[in-house]
Amino acid sequence: MSDTSAAAHHHTAPTSFIRKYIFSLDHKVIGIQYYFLAIFSVLIGMVLSWLVRIHLVWPQLHIWGLEKLSPAGAPGGVMTPEYYLSLLTLHGTLMVFFVLTTAPQAGFGNYALPIQIGAEDMAFPWLNMLSFWTTFVGLCCLVATLFVKDGPPISGWTAYPPLSAVGSDAGPGQGMGQNLWAVSIAIFCVGSLLGALNFIVTTVDLRAKGMSLMRMPLTCWAWLITAILSLLSFAVLFAACILLFLDRNAGTSFFLPAGLLVNEKLQPHSGGSPLLWQHLFWFFGHPEVYIAIVPGFGVISHILSTFSRKPVLGYKVIVACLLGIGFLSFMVWGHHMFLSGMSPYSGFLFSIPTLIITIPATIVSLLWLGTIFGGKLRFTTSMMFALGFISVFVTGGLGGMFLAQPSLDIFLHGTYFVVGHFHMVMGVAAIFGMFAGTYYWFPKMFGRMMNETMGKIHFWFTFVGVYCIFMPMHFIGLEGNPRRYSQFVNAFIQPLMPVHKFMTIAALSTGIIQFLFFFNLFWSIFKGPKAPNNPWESTSLEWTVPSPPPFDNFAGVHPVVNHGAYEYGEENDGKDYVMQTDPPTRAVTG
Amino acid sequence: MGRTFAVILTLITVITVAVFVSHHWWFPEVASAHGVGMNDQFVETFIGAGIGFVLAQLALAVFAWRFGEKKGDSRKVRVFPGGAKGLVIFAFVYVGLEILGLAFVGQKVWADMYFTPPPSDATKVQVLAGQFAFYFRYPGPDGKFGPIHVDKIDEGTQNFFGIDTSEEGSKDDIVTAEVAVPVNRPVVLFLDSKDMDHGFYVRELRVQQDMVPGMEIPLHFTPTKVGRYDIACNQLCGLGHYNMRAFINVMSEPDYKTWLTQQAALQ
Amino acid sequence: MTTRGKFTLLLASLAMVALSALLVSEPVSAAGEGKVTGTIKLDGTAPHQKPIDMSKEPSCAAQHSTPITTETVMGSNGGLQNVVIYISEGLSGAAATAVASQPQEINQKGCQYLPHVVAINPNEDMKVLNSDQTSHNIHPQPKNNHEWNKSQPPGAAPFDVKWEAEEVAIPVKCNIHPWMRGYIAVVKGPYAVSDDKGNFTLNNVPPGSYTLTAWQETYGTQTQKVTVAAGKPATADFTYKAK
């Protein structure tokens, strides 16, 4: 099966600059394009996080340049309450969609999946190119909200109606800004759906001879499961965005009940329910957070094995856990809605799979620990981030134990405890997965090595920094500090202001250090020392080809796979590992 | 590198646990009956999660310390004793028991609040949320809330509930900007919203509930401590969300009666 | 006296009379002289108004030892404050299009709009200030003019705004503090707002016959015809009946 499909994909190398780097069909170029789209988005998202954290602790500060960006939103450079919410909404939307849903899956996945399974390219290269440029258009729509008259929407990345659905009566940014948001996300959904199709068909159809499913690196399993989650969940979000757009512009009432008096104007809608949006959004929203983290699970498993010189412990179990997590992720969405007005019986029912999902997550974490146990750990930057991932994922995941119980959620919902939890798992763990992947695959992608010293400095400051930023959020959450407040005027929050200051300074410092990473990244692309084929002595197929690989990955050769992905062990003729394409007779013991 | 990681991770673990255990930042004092059970459940969860946290982080630290590859390392790599099977069983047992406990035994608080209706003698107050304030209405001696007419709501003349005072049930309604309730007696709040999703959150009373337009959601509890507590809006509702708050006064029975009479005179 | 001398004297006297007539008539045709004064009263007792409870904004609640009311403000003599007086008919020429030079201002102070009622000409500058320790978001809700709202965090600079079309009166609310209410009456020509004794003075009224209109937020409008003559200020009193 794979031979004929692979043969059908033979295409010639492009020659023009536009075909090579702009409108490219090559999955490697597209993967890098997605990666840099995410870098661009994370840069803006990070600056936005600085702005909002600065405003929280120094609300009357004149922020240089802000007035030029929005004279109405920040007269004299002082942020208005609505502009804070606008910037916060943009921060969340950019980070969740254009960073966390992009780089781990579409970025690294596009780059490495075809090579790791021994294919020349993705199943549908043209569709792949289309999905990138669609995502790009979505990003343009979102960034455009910064430049429309009333700025970005103020309803948060979750865009709950009625606030998001009634239009500009609800507040500044709720006119054009919210419309653009809905359009941007709908376009993003289309791009993701196209990408998901590609990933699934490629993994099912284009594996090289001998690359059975159980010989695939765990990264491939993670990308496959993530793609299935994307396919099923983004379809629902797409529908929800359309319904929202209709409520706002076509007079429909999917989400709007009768009798809404907004800013003294009686709204003409009737018959809808704000809860419907929440169900649709979170039916997507919960799988979405697994879409953000599961690729990281794959990358971390792969990197831990490589740099422990040991097979992954319990490969089959990890696959089963990833499948289990994927399946369960569709059954837990109501835990975002315990206090929403949904039936409390539903709330109780949702809490059960939410707690059960802890089991596969725990198993995976324990298997990572079991993988490094007894290994010969090589502390490259990539490995440091992988080890850090285990730590931060455990921390963030344990916060979930509290929030999964409706009784406790009564107190913790809407507080900084939630903000600390999801930043720990998404804003830290998933990002650590991206860093680990970057330092690991950079040599293959660009044919050069990144600087390890800079990488280590980047790791240390970041690892300590993220604990300083996000652990205190759990503490102030216990005090009931509400989230999404543009300013803290309540008396009971005043004693917590020193903690807020600490977190702001930690955020700014940790943010500054990321520029060392960006410098390392861009400098090394042009000036890094040349990379050998397999600098990490890793076993998967991408390390059998030059760095960077030729246009069709394997220079016309169809690889034949004889081994699983994690054969590390005792040295045998000088090497303690077996490449997947090594002859069947080669083995390591251990 | 591995040893540095181990040390720093251990420090982070110890500091984190110390802060939690010190209760330096902790829940405010409980002021409601069900809040006691909630506190207990929190403590149980902290213990379970805390043990898992410490074990996992310290294991990571120990492994990073011990298993670094050294030059000329002739050590053989070792498989984890018991392999994957042991860890899987441990996870199922430890986590399984914990979640069984938390999921079923621990839901008593949730059940008490939401699976049981409020007692018929509970003090009734209607709460109306709207950008960006809460207003409250007592039914008065007739015990009935008059109808809310959305088209009659006029904040400029302080008719926050859109009441037509000529109507049956509306004449004796008492509208206030702060709510007061008698201590040690059940209270039921009928939560309404006139525009956006809002949230009703009182930390000390351990109550929180979204206020959804188009729905009237009852929230009942029994306050047990006299005091003045913050009500904070906890569902993003627009630009003034941060400033949307009110106060709930839990008073002794005589004080409450006096307050209600004063408020009635102001109507 | 010679005949020539008598004729010169007569001519000089006539010239002096004509000159004085000219001088005397100058102020009569200049804009500065005409005035209308009067008092607005409420006949009966003011309706019961609920005092405004500002407890959600402690920094403002602290500024009012007695909670305020704003809809019907009466002085001790039964005078009604915050009534807008303006000329609704009879204005022509320069007087109709003149823009008063004294800029108006509305100050958000103690979570109230001060003054509670502002009268202003079309295209006259109005300054909006925030003197409170809390953010306000002023939101006028006009029918004939463009609707807008603007946040002012504490310490924010005042800003200027103009109104294009006549409107009596534009309600003003605060998006953050629902009890705040004010009114802006955009009228042509001379205007006044009654003080705490119910007294008002319309200045710069050219001589002529006019219809005077009084507007109050609860009691609505009343009209009266008035004639302003040179050197003689007119008076016009209004009485509203309590509901």
Side-chain angles (χ1 to χ4, degrees):
Chain A
M1 163 186 60
S2 16
D3 265 356
T4 12
S5 326
H9 281 88
H10 178 71
H11 43 276
T12 48
T15 42
S16 75
F17 180 85
I18 295 218
R19 283 310 244 172
K20 268 166 93 170
Y21 300 113
I22 315 282
F23 293 111
S24 168
L25 298 170
D26 182 352
H27 71 97
K28 299 186 287 300
V29 174
I30 294 172
I32 293 175
Q33 287 176 320
Y34 267 114
Y35 183 80
F36 282 113
L37 182 143
I39 293 278
F40 175 75
S41 305
V42 85
L43 207 57
I44 302 183
M46 187 170 70
V47 171
L48 291 172
S49 76
W50 295 347
L51 290 173
V52 295
R53 279 247 47 102
I54 287 174
H55 179 75
L56 283 176
V57 299
W58 299 299
Q60 294 179 20
L61 187 68
H62 296 254
I63 296 175
W64 178 85
L66 208 57
E67 182 164 30
K68 282 205 177 47
L69 183 59
S70 177
V78 178
M79 221 184 275
T80 53
E82 57 269 29
Y83 204 54
Y84 173 92
L85 293 173
S86 289
L87 297 180
L88 192 66
T89 300
L90 203 57
H91 165 79
T93 310
L94 271 171
M95 291 303 210
V96 173
F97 291 103
F98 294 94
V99 179
L100 296 175
T101 312
T102 308
Q105 177 78 355
F108 293 119
N110 253 311
Y111 190 90
L113 173 69
I115 320 181
Q116 283 195 338
I117 60 171
E120 279 183 10
D121 204 319
M122 286 290 210
F124 309 115
W126 207 91
L127 212 63
N128 207 9
M129 176 177 78
L130 184 66
S131 65
F132 170 74
W133 286 106
T134 307
T135 308
F136 179 80
V137 170
L139 179 63
C140 291
C141 285
L142 190 68
V143 174
T145 59
L146 274 172
F147 303 104
V148 298
K149 180 168 152 283
D150 273 337
I154 60 174
S155 52
W157 85 279
T158 49
Y160 279 12
L163 182 58
S164 61
V166 294
S168 41
D169 283 342
Q174 290 313 101
M176 181 54 81
Q178 189 78 68
N179 276 341
L180 276 172
W181 183 94
V183 167
S184 158
I185 299 307
I187 294 176
F188 183 89
C189 289
V190 173
S192 289
L193 289 168
L194 296 177
L197 278 170
N198 231 333
F199 272 65
I200 296 170
V201 175
T202 304
T203 312
V204 169
D205 263 0
L206 294 193
R207 280 169 286 118
K209 182 161 179 221
M211 178 64 82
S212 66
L213 284 173
M214 286 304 174
R215 278 183 177 165
M216 287 200 309
L218 283 169
T219 40
C220 301
W221 272 108
W223 289 318
L224 174 65
I225 291 168
T226 303
I228 297 173
L229 295 182
S230 292
L231 194 69
L232 298 174
S233 61
F234 271 104
V236 174
L237 180 66
F238 183 61
C241 285
I242 292 182
L243 298 184
L244 182 66
F245 193 84
L246 289 175
D247 266 14
R248 294 173 51 77
N249 300 295
T252 55
S253 302
F254 294 104
F255 308 124
L256 298 170
L260 284 181
L261 190 69
V262 181
N263 237 311
E264 318 216 305
K265 295 189 182 65
L266 203 51
Q267 301 297 313
H269 307 268
S270 83
S273 166
L275 257 51
L276 177 60
W277 166 268
Q278 292 184 40
H279 282 294
L280 293 174
F281 183 85
W282 289 116
F283 183 84
F284 149 79
H286 198 82
E288 160 67 7
V289 308
Y290 288 101
I291 291 168
I293 198 72
V294 165
F297 288 169
V299 167
I300 294 311
S301 308
H302 196 78
I303 289 175
L304 286 175
S305 178
T306 301
F307 294 109
S308 306
R309 314 312 293 163
K310 271 187 69 183
V312 173
L313 182 65
Y315 172 96
K316 288 208 180 97
V317 177
I318 294 190
V319 172
C321 285
L322 292 182
L323 286 167
I325 288 173
F327 178 72
L328 282 169
S329 74
F330 277 99
M331 304 172 96
V332 302
W333 82 87
H335 68 232
H336 300 271
M337 296 172 62
F338 285 144
L339 304 177
S340 64
M342 172 177 80
S343 161
Y345 293 97
S346 302
F348 173 69
L349 287 175
F350 274 114
S351 76
I352 304 200
T354 306
L355 286 165
I356 292 178
I357 213 170
T358 315
I359 296 182
T362 306
I363 294 175
V364 170
S365 307
L366 290 176
L367 289 176
W368 289 329
L369 288 173
T371 301
I372 64 177
F373 175 91
K376 292 206 253 189
L377 306 189
R378 295 179 177 178
F379 298 109
T380 58
T381 308
S382 182
M383 179 61 159
M384 297 313 296
F385 275 106
L387 293 173
F389 181 100
I390 301 176
S391 172
V392 297
F393 178 70
V394 166
T395 306
L398 286 171
M401 291 284 305
F402 294 81
L403 299 168
Q405 303 171 62
S407 306
L408 304 185
D409 198 49
I410 292 175
F411 186 87
L412 293 175
H413 173 80
T415 65
Y416 265 78
F417 193 93
V418 180
V419 182
H421 162 72
F422 68 68
H423 274 95
M424 219 52 192
V425 279
M426 296 209 296
V428 181
I431 298 283
F432 271 38
M434 286 167 57
F435 283 140
T438 303
Y439 286 102
Y440 179 72
W441 275 307
F442 183 94
K444 186 58 52 185
M445 291 159 87
F446 299 105
R448 292 176 184 271
M449 304 298 286
M450 285 180 83
N451 184 290
E452 273 291 305
T453 309
M454 277 196 246
K456 300 272 172 42
I457 298 174
H458 172 225
F459 169 74
W460 285 116
F461 278 96
T462 305
F463 184 62
V464 175
V466 294
Y467 266 106
C468 288
I469 303 171
F470 298 114
M471 208 58 225
M473 288 190 182
H474 296 83
F475 305 146
I476 63 177
L478 297 188
E479 294 264 3
N481 194 153
R483 61 183 284 211
R484 289 173 161 169
Y485 275 17
S486 59
Q487 220 182 312
F488 295 125
V489 296
N490 308 61
F492 72 86
I493 306 180
Q494 301 314 306
L496 304 173
M497 290 315 291
V499 183
H500 279 286
K501 283 205 172 73
F502 176 79
M503 295 193 293
T504 296
I505 294 178
L508 292 171
S509 320
T510 312
I512 291 289
I513 277 296
Q514 305 312 308
F515 285 96
L516 186 61
F517 165 74
F518 293 133
F519 175 76
N520 195 358
L521 187 69
F522 288 105
W523 174 267
S524 305
I525 289 177
F526 299 104
K527 293 280 205 269
K530 284 234 181 303
N533 285 16
N534 193 356
W536 312 124
E537 297 187 307
S538 199
T539 55
S540 39
L541 287 184
E542 72 267 37
W543 305 106
T544 64
V545 295
S547 307
F551 161 72
D552 63 351
N553 296 337
F554 296 98
V557 173
H558 293 284
V560 174
V561 170
N562 300 307
H563 297 275
Y566 299 111
E567 293 191 17
Y568 299 93
E570 206 175 314
E571 283 206 16
N572 195 338
D573 56 311
K575 272 170 40 169
D576 67 345
Y577 61 103
V578 179
M579 303 296 293
Q580 286 196 269
T581 42
D582 277 351
T585 46
R586 182 163 158 69
V588 284
T589 50
Chain B
M1 193 62 36
R3 309 220 150 170
T4 319
F5 181 78
V7 168
I8 292 193
L9 183 57
T10 307
L11 268 169
I12 290 175
T13 307
V14 167
I15 293 174
T16 303
V17 173
V19 173
F20 276 121
V21 166
S22 76
H23 289 203
H24 183 79
W25 294 291
W26 199 245
F27 308 103
E29 258 195 273
V30 172
S32 68
H34 70 275
V36 178
M38 199 190 281
N39 266 21
D40 291 344
Q41 202 174 327
F42 263 120
V43 171
E44 283 158 24
T45 310
F46 263 113
I47 294 175
I51 293 176
F53 176 73
V54 170
L55 286 179
Q57 304 290 359
L58 288 187
L60 182 58
V62 166
F63 295 173
W65 179 281
R66 275 202 62 195
F67 295 115
E69 183 181 48
K70 295 185 197 30
K71 262 200 169 43
D73 202 338
S74 58
R75 171 167 59 90
K76 282 192 210 166
V77 295
R78 289 162 52 199
V79 178
F80 189 83
K85 196 154 136 212
L87 291 172
V88 172
I89 293 175
F90 173 78
F92 264 102
V93 169
Y94 181 75
V95 179
L97 280 174
E98 189 168 352
I99 61 186
L100 260 175
L102 295 174
F104 291 96
V105 172
Q107 290 326 303
K108 185 173 181 309
V109 172
W110 184 253
D112 277 347
M113 282 200 75
Y114 287 108
F115 294 173
T116 51
S120 50
D121 65 337
T123 309
K124 294 186 184 51
V125 188
Q126 192 177 52
V127 185
L128 184 63
Q131 287 179 328
F132 294 101
F134 296 97
Y135 288 101
F136 307 92
R137 177 159 71 143
Y138 291 80
D142 68 353
K144 283 205 277 260
F145 295 109
I148 294 178
H149 298 285
V150 175
D151 50 338
K152 286 192 164 60
I153 293 180
D154 183 356
E155 287 159 342
T157 56
Q158 298 198 71
N159 190 354
F160 300 109
F161 280 81
I163 299 175
D164 182 345
T165 43
S166 63
E167 268 180 335
E168 188 64 54
S170 301
K171 273 202 221 4
D172 59 352
D173 287 355
I174 303 168
V175 175
T176 63
E178 282 199 32
V179 59
V181 290
V183 70
N184 291 323
R185 280 221 281 123
V187 173
V188 59
L189 302 177
F190 296 101
L191 303 177
D192 286 285
S193 163
K194 72 180 215 281
D195 47 26
M196 307 296 150
D197 255 20
H198 294 279
F200 186 90
Y201 181 46
V202 185
R203 311 173 306 137
E204 294 87 344
L205 294 177
R206 306 291 197 266
V207 293
Q208 186 174 180
Q209 175 61 55
D210 278 4
M211 302 170 76
V212 184
M215 294 173 75
E216 183 169 87
I217 301 175
L219 176 69
H220 69 92
F221 56 92
T222 303
T224 52
K225 253 183 85 180
V226 163
R228 187 163 187 261
Y229 308 115
D230 288 74
I231 301 169
C233 178
N234 215 7
Q235 182 60 246
L236 179 56
C237 54
L239 70 90
H241 172 58
Y242 76 99
N243 200 314
M244 183 163 170
R245 52 204 164 131
F247 293 93
I248 178 164
N249 301 281
V250 179
M251 299 175 165
S252 67
E253 190 82 40
D255 284 346
Y256 166 70
K257 283 199 166 61
T258 312
W259 178 88
L260 200 58
T261 314
Q262 282 170 351
Q263 291 296 319
L266 288 173
Q267 294 305 301
Chain C
M1 200 184 284
T2 60
T3 322
R4 202 193 288 141
K6 281 189 200 149
F7 187 65
T8 314
L9 192 60
L10 186 61
L11 219 56
S13 319
L14 279 170
M16 269 172 45
V17 168
L19 212 60
S20 347
L22 209 65
L23 285 167
V24 161
S25 70
E26 265 260 3
V28 169
S29 59
E33 199 180 279
K35 236 198 249 254
V36 182
T37 56
T39 308
I40 326 262
K41 278 192 156 55
L42 185 69
D43 180 15
T45 37
H48 166 72
Q49 295 163 88
K50 235 173 113 187
I52 295 178
D53 185 333
M54 295 189 187
S55 55
K56 97 145 187 163
E57 192 63 73
S59 67
C60 283
Q63 293 182 45
H64 306 285
S65 51
T66 321
I68 59 165
T69 61
T70 56
E71 302 146 54
T72 311
V73 184
M74 274 174 66
S76 49
N77 59 338
L80 199 53
Q81 192 180 0
N82 292 332
V83 183
V84 177
I85 319 293
Y86 64 100
I87 297 172
S88 47
E89 271 170 30
L91 272 179
S92 61
T97 50
V99 173
S101 54
Q102 175 91 8
Q104 297 297 323
E105 76 170 38
I106 196 164
N107 189 3
Q108 294 156 112
K109 189 167 149 69
C111 291
Q112 280 180 272
Y113 290 114
L114 297 174
H116 178 62
V117 175
V118 168
I120 196 169
N121 286 145
N123 296 311
E124 183 182 349
D125 263 321
M126 188 177 92
K127 214 183 243 330
V128 181
L129 302 96
N130 180 4
S131 302
D132 276 338
Q133 280 313 300
T134 175
S135 292
H136 286 290
N137 182 292
I138 186 167
H139 183 188
Q141 296 172 301
K143 290 193 182 50
N144 303 341
N145 285 281
H146 174 63
E147 187 176 349
W148 53 270
N149 66 73
K150 199 164 161 75
S151 274
Q152 278 169 299
F159 65 91
D160 285 321
V161 67
K162 281 188 173 64
W163 301 97
E164 282 182 2
E166 293 168 80
E167 191 165 342
V168 179
I170 304 173
V172 182
K173 63 172 272 194
C174 176
N175 274 343
I176 299 179
H177 304 94
W179 61 79
M180 286 174 72
R181 243 340 151 274
Y183 291 90
I184 300 171
V186 188
V187 296
K188 283 195 176 143
Y191 55 75
V193 180
S194 61
D195 63 15
D196 57 355
K197 293 192 174 50
N199 295 330
F200 72 89
T201 305
L202 272 181
N203 284 313
N204 300 329
V205 186
S209 291
Y210 303 104
T211 308
L212 218 56
T213 301
W215 173 89
Q216 202 270 354
E217 63 185 274
T218 313
Y219 298 103
T221 49
Q222 281 192 14
T223 55
Q224 226 180 91
K225 287 225 182 312
V226 72
T227 305
V228 175
K232 274 177 62 185
T235 50
D237 291 332
F238 291 83
T239 305
Y240 283 99
K241 267 203 154 31
K243 285 196 186 142

